Amino acid sequence: MPDLSTRLAREREALIDTIEQPPLPLIAGRAASIRRRRRARRAGAALAVLAVAGFAGLRPWSTDAEPAPVAEPSPSPGVVYTDAGITINGLTGDRVLDPRGRVTDVAFADPDNGYALVECLAGEDPCPASLARSTDGGITWRLAAMPPARDAAADLAAFSDGRVVLGGYVTTDGAQTWQAVGRGTGPASTVAEGQLLRLGAGGAIEVWSSMYGDRGELTSQPERMAVNWVAGAPTATGGWWVGGTRDGRPAAAVTRDGGRGWEVHEFAAAGSTAQVSVLGNRVYVTVLGPDREISAIYRSSDAGRLFAPTGTGRVTTPHGLSGEVVPLLDGRLLAVGLDHRWYLSEDDGRTFSQADGSLPQIGRIVRAPSGYVAYDLFGSHWTAFSADGSTWRKLQVY
């Protein structure tokens, strides 16, 4: 019979064999990933300091790993750019989806689910267009399937029911598969809830549906009005605004009954178009000249039934408007100038002051059905999304 010490040694070995060993390869991989993220965060912080100093053309991110199709979330908050109550939350983690080309169109069906179209523009080396999809508000992205063919001039449109329309095709499964839809053969009598209005060829207002794409021109168009701007989203009560000119004067029109009838407002200021910004009952009309200089801003506090100018004479700062004016929840107005800087007004647009801080250069802000999209950040083709115009998320697709 084995002595006591021999039995104890055997039992100890048997016990060790029953203990599951840690997955050393997985642990090593995770450790390497953590080291890469730490290096990326240190490099990102250093580049952010350079950006504030004026090197806005540099990319405010760096990594020693190749871009991957899927970005992993990171507990790091990333670099934050802010001034005057405007905040842009920068990149998180160390992965950015970087397909060939540049982001030319962004559409969010809701604050979580978004799509980004990436293309090479005219004059650049040609490349196939690609589509990226995010389900977490733009933090992580993966490549999705493109339609088999598409009209290059067609917009990317994401609808509240989860469907996406792009270039004559519709997807119902998150851009895994696409089905062709025919353009409407006749006029559309109304624009229903969940549908969109878009500016068509020749200034006609068109109706877009998540089921059929472009349904055709709206039957009733604003009387005697040359439309050259259509709101990116309806108001909270379902009204749709358009802008342009009427008998040579800047004008804006709204339909409150799904496109059956229009209420037209003409404005005395000189200009070639009028753009409308809405938040609740506050409605602002920005009259723009041919070079997008701001001729005047009009305000309504009764959902756009009566307007009054907010000041006398032209708005001299900013010198021109890029994109659209954004009404903020705190009562201020946000605007982007043609000089690629951020401007804020505390007096309904009578005067604007420039916001500096660490806010980056910006190309323009565009209204979308679920919020706002900022294009061409940092003097490059970064984009950001905001539900309210004050707090932005830099999209991790480039």
Side-chain angles (χ1 to χ4, degrees):
M1 174 179 295
D3 57 23
L4 178 60
S5 61
T6 301
R7 290 202 312 273
L8 290 175
R10 289 176 179 175
E11 290 175 0
R12 183 172 61 253
E13 293 174 357
L15 178 61
I16 292 175
D17 289 341
T18 63
I19 297 174
E20 183 179 357
Q21 297 300 306
L24 295 180
L26 179 59
I27 292 175
R30 289 178 176 173
S33 177
I34 291 172
R35 288 194 296 271
R36 288 195 300 270
R37 284 198 294 269
R38 286 174 179 171
R39 288 195 297 269
R41 286 197 293 271
R42 289 196 295 268
L47 284 176
V49 174
L50 291 177
V52 173
F55 292 87
L58 294 177
R59 293 186 182 185
W61 61 278
S62 177
T63 176
D64 57 357
E66 290 294 325
V70 181
E72 297 178 356
S74 167
S76 169
V79 179
V80 176
Y81 311 89
T82 184
D83 188 51
I86 305 299
T87 300
I88 302 176
N89 294 300
L91 304 179
T92 60
D94 59 352
R95 300 288 182 90
V96 173
L97 181 64
D98 190 5
R100 188 178 175 191
R102 63 179 62 192
V103 177
T104 58
D105 203 355
V106 173
F108 274 79
D110 54 58
D112 291 326
N113 294 280
Y115 297 82
L117 181 64
V118 182
E119 305 174 281
C120 287
L121 303 182
E124 300 175 340
D125 291 339
C127 66
S130 55
L131 186 68
R133 184 191 181 200
S134 174
T135 58
D136 57 8
I139 299 175
T140 61
W141 294 82
R142 68 174 63 246
L143 288 176
M146 280 287 291
R150 61 178 265 265
D151 178 2
D155 290 337
L156 173 68
F159 294 83
S160 57
D161 60 6
R163 296 171 183 257
V164 178
V165 172
L166 176 59
Y169 289 81
V170 62
T171 179
T172 61
D173 55 12
Q176 298 183 57
T177 60
W178 295 84
Q179 298 80 42
V181 291
R183 191 184 190 283
T185 57
S189 58
T190 60
V191 53
E193 182 178 357
Q195 296 180 346
L196 302 175
L197 291 184
R198 290 291 183 262
L199 185 64
I205 304 169
E206 297 178 344
V207 178
W208 284 66
S209 160
S210 67
M211 292 288 291
Y212 308 107
D214 185 357
R215 290 180 51 207
E217 296 180 4
L218 189 64
T219 302
S220 176
Q221 305 274 326
E223 186 177 1
R224 303 194 333 270
M225 187 170 169
V227 176
N228 53 28
W229 176 88
V230 175
T235 67
T237 56
W240 278 96
W241 285 90
V242 301
T245 60
R246 187 182 194 186
D247 299 331
R249 302 176 66 181
V254 61
T255 177
R256 308 181 194 273
D257 57 5
R260 296 177 181 87
W262 292 87
E263 177 185 309
V264 181
H265 299 266
E266 296 182 18
F267 301 97
S272 56
T273 191
Q275 294 182 178
V276 183
S277 306
V278 181
L279 182 61
N281 285 330
R282 293 161 49 202
V283 181
Y284 296 90
V285 173
T286 305
V287 177
L288 299 172
D291 295 327
R292 297 193 63 81
E293 68 275 10
I294 301 176
S295 298
I297 294 179
Y298 292 79
R299 184 184 189 274
S300 169
S301 57
D302 59 1
R305 289 173 173 81
L306 296 174
F307 286 93
T310 61
T312 59
R314 290 180 53 194
V315 179
T316 57
T317 303
H319 299 297
L321 178 68
S322 184
E324 302 179 32
V325 170
V326 181
L328 303 180
L329 293 171
D330 61 10
R332 297 183 298 167
L333 293 180
L334 171 66
V336 172
L338 296 179
D339 57 0
H340 309 297
R341 299 182 182 276
W342 305 71
Y343 291 88
L344 290 157
S345 173
E346 298 182 352
D347 52 14
D348 291 328
R350 285 187 289 274
T351 60
F352 283 85
S353 59
Q354 181 181 317
D356 291 317
S358 59
L359 293 177
Q361 290 186 6
I362 178 175
R364 68 190 190 281
I365 294 178
V366 176
R367 181 74 167 93
S370 57
Y372 298 90
V373 179
Y375 289 91
D376 301 323
L377 291 169
F378 300 94
S380 187
H381 48 279
W382 290 104
T383 55
F385 175 77
S386 174
D388 60 8
S390 296
T391 303
W392 297 79
R393 162 65 61 188
K394 185 178 178 183
L395 304 183
Q396 301 201 166
V397 57
Y398 185 68

